[in-house]
Amino acid sequence: MTGSTADPEALRERALAALLAARDRTTLLTTCVEESELIAQHSPLMSPLVWDLAHIGNQEEQWLLRAVAGRDAMRPEIDPLYDAFEHPRAERPRLPLLAPAEARGYAAEVRGRALDVLEKTPLRGTPLTDAGFAFGMIAQHEQQHDETMLITHQLRTGPTALTAPDPPPAEPFDGPAEVLVPGGPFTMGTSTEPWALDNERPAHRRLVPPFFIDTTPVTNAAYQRFIDDGGYDTMRWWDPAGWAMVRENGLRAPLFWRREGGQWLRRRFGTVEPVPADEPVLHVSWYEADAYARWAGRRLPSEVEWEKAARHDPVTDRSTRYPWGDADPTPERANLGQRHLRPAPAGSYAAGESPLGIRQLIGDVWEWTSSGFLPYPGFSAFPYREYSDVFFGGDYKVLRGGAFSVDAVACRGTFRNWDHPVRRQIFSGFRTARDAGPTETADPETA
């Protein structure tokens, strides 16, 4: 792990703020429904909310109290219950889980002790404490489970439990539909971001041919044209496994959509509403994104292409932390942190666009790429194999960019998410790309 030269007290304050923000969100997500909703399993794909709550506390205890502070285990007998690898999600409701009040009390007690550890621990000297990494890792872990709990809230039936204002209105986007990303090398990944996770490391150079990429994510209106053109009935657009999924499950549209009264409706956190034409399409699998791209005569961008579009400044030849530069996200730059419970219209957030004019690369919807989840050259598992290493290979596809459901602490230009290509309950969308032809680029090495 690469250390940071930042002021230790500034790092401590950053860690404290990240931990407190995560806990505030966890509290919101677990107090807005009745106890019966916390212990129920709303989908076999998801854990009961109360499992996530206690798991958050257990991970915090294991890493901050035991690994960093060297303290004895508070409740070692519950470790197996909250080991994500020992018990699949579908089995967790049958475990002797902590009841909601007990889970809250356990997480609160762990947090009180963890803040004491943060106050007294020098943020240097070991890989776990250097630049406050362990504290940042735990804040990210909690926010990732908050996103998981938000997915559970979307899957649950019943009255609305969560509310949030809509994204602010934006000027209609009148930019080009696609932009050229020049060919050439760029630096992918990071060796300097202090809280970057192991699969984001190390920084390395990649050579990318020129390509075109959508300026904004694909919208609901564009996806409806695919549906109306028989997209779900035409085998040639689909990967064979995706076509089998469509036929076996009778898929006709993205998850949570239904046709009624001559229009498409969607269910969003307990509210049924017309599908907004100008929002990025949401809740589509990799197979659906790939089929749309083929239908449109395009393809999904590779992970390398996506990161170059999101981070490379062609003027300075630098890879920045975010599309807009190195400054942290703000509400003017990206739709993050569950401030809103929906994506903003495509073309929003002009302050967050890349040097090439590409918008919404961070926030709004996770974006599927064509790439499988693999380690970077020189990868080293840290601090445990189960975060990334055990997932490399298989059928996992990489998603990039984060969504409205993601907190800024767990979202940056190098951040990598991954899931099975069948997944639709996640807050996933996409944008498309295409190769640049010989006459479409001024790059002398490729023209």
Side-chain angles (χ1 to χ4, degrees):
M1 305 296 292
T2 300
S4 171
T5 57
D7 173 27
E9 292 313 307
L11 284 167
R12 203 180 309 278
E13 290 177 9
R14 181 189 177 205
L16 176 61
L19 290 168
L20 294 178
R23 188 52 50 89
D24 286 346
R25 187 178 177 195
T26 299
T27 300
L28 170 65
L29 290 164
T30 55
T31 57
C32 63
V33 291
E34 298 294 328
E35 183 171 311
S36 60
E37 298 271 27
L38 294 179
I39 62 178
Q41 185 172 47
H42 300 282
S43 164
L45 295 173
M46 311 304 292
S47 307
L49 293 169
V50 74
W51 185 93
D52 288 286
L53 174 58
H55 171 77
I56 285 167
N58 188 250
Q59 286 290 292
E60 187 165 326
E61 184 201 345
Q62 290 193 45
W63 288 104
L64 300 188
L65 303 189
R66 302 185 205 173
V68 171
R71 299 185 182 181
D72 292 337
M74 292 169 54
R75 300 195 55 178
E77 76 281 1
I78 70 171
D79 289 355
L81 299 177
Y82 299 102
D83 184 333
F85 287 87
E86 189 161 335
H87 302 287
R89 288 175 174 175
E91 296 178 1
R92 291 171 189 170
R94 298 191 291 273
L95 299 174
L97 303 177
L98 300 183
E102 193 175 8
R104 286 195 187 95
Y106 169 64
E109 185 176 359
V110 170
R111 173 51 57 88
R113 298 184 186 190
L115 295 183
D116 179 65
V117 172
L118 173 61
E119 183 179 349
K120 297 176 180 177
T121 300
L123 302 185
R124 61 185 183 277
T126 72
L128 273 179
T129 58
D130 189 28
F133 174 81
F135 300 94
M137 178 184 72
I138 287 299
Q140 291 178 82
H141 174 266
E142 182 163 353
Q143 287 285 4
Q144 287 170 316
H145 275 272
D146 288 340
E147 182 181 14
T148 298
M149 289 194 285
L150 189 64
I151 293 170
T152 302
H153 274 279
Q154 169 62 10
L155 287 164
R156 62 178 284 274
T157 58
T160 300
L162 294 167
T163 59
D166 286 341
E171 293 294 324
F173 179 69
D174 59 0
E178 63 177 7
V179 298
L180 173 68
V181 179
F186 90 109
T187 300
M188 186 175 189
T190 180
S191 296
T192 58
E193 185 74 27
W195 292 356
L197 303 170
D198 60 3
N199 63 60
E200 301 170 65
R201 299 171 179 270
H204 57 288
R205 295 290 278 178
R206 298 293 293 266
L207 181 64
V208 185
F211 65 97
F212 284 88
I213 192 167
D214 291 341
T215 314
T216 70
V218 170
T219 64
N220 289 318
Y223 198 84
Q224 285 180 45
R225 290 193 287 273
F226 167 66
I227 298 173
D228 293 342
D229 196 41
Y232 282 86
D233 298 312
T234 309
M235 183 173 66
R236 72 177 183 273
W237 305 132
W238 294 83
D239 178 281
W243 181 246
M245 178 188 76
V246 167
R247 307 315 293 171
E248 290 169 8
N249 296 281
L251 302 186
R252 310 297 303 169
L255 186 61
F256 306 117
W257 286 31
R258 73 170 188 256
R259 189 81 173 168
E260 188 175 296
Q263 68 175 335
W264 283 107
L265 304 177
R266 72 175 181 188
R267 179 169 59 82
R268 183 177 62 86
F269 298 107
T271 298
V272 176
E273 61 192 12
V275 172
D278 59 352
E279 280 186 16
V281 67
L282 192 63
H283 296 301
V284 290
S285 67
W286 182 90
Y287 291 127
E288 290 166 294
D290 177 65
Y292 173 95
R294 296 180 196 224
W295 169 82
R298 298 171 69 82
R299 59 177 174 80
L300 296 179
S302 68
E303 183 182 16
V304 179
E305 289 174 329
W306 189 96
E307 187 167 325
K308 183 168 187 181
R311 297 186 61 217
H312 185 247
D313 185 336
V315 175
T316 64
D317 192 34
R318 287 187 61 242
S319 288
T320 54
R321 297 177 68 216
Y322 300 98
W324 55 83
D326 293 329
D328 288 338
T330 63
E332 295 74 35
R333 293 183 175 124
N335 181 8
L336 293 167
Q338 201 181 310
R339 285 193 308 272
H340 315 295
L341 289 171
R342 64 195 306 157
S348 297
Y349 298 103
E353 71 178 19
S354 76
L356 294 175
I358 310 169
R359 296 197 179 181
Q360 291 167 288
L361 286 159
I362 297 292
D364 286 301
V365 295
W366 283 108
E367 298 185 12
W368 288 110
T369 73
S370 64
S371 300
F373 185 50
L374 295 170
Y376 290 159
F379 167 83
S380 178
F382 178 83
Y384 58 106
R385 287 190 62 245
E386 290 78 11
Y387 182 74
S388 303
D389 195 36
V390 298
F391 294 102
F392 291 139
D395 71 344
Y396 292 104
K397 295 295 184 180
V398 173
L399 302 103
R400 287 302 206 103
F404 67 88
S405 53
V406 179
D407 188 80
V409 75
C411 184
R412 46 196 163 265
T414 58
F415 193 92
R416 308 172 75 194
N417 190 9
W418 65 94
D419 214 328
H420 297 292
V422 299
R423 291 290 188 250
R424 309 208 301 161
Q425 82 276 14
I426 59 178
F427 299 109
S428 51
F430 64 100
R431 71 182 73 216
T432 67
R434 68 179 176 91
D435 298 342
T439 62
E440 294 179 297
T441 173
D443 187 341
E445 296 183 0
T446 58

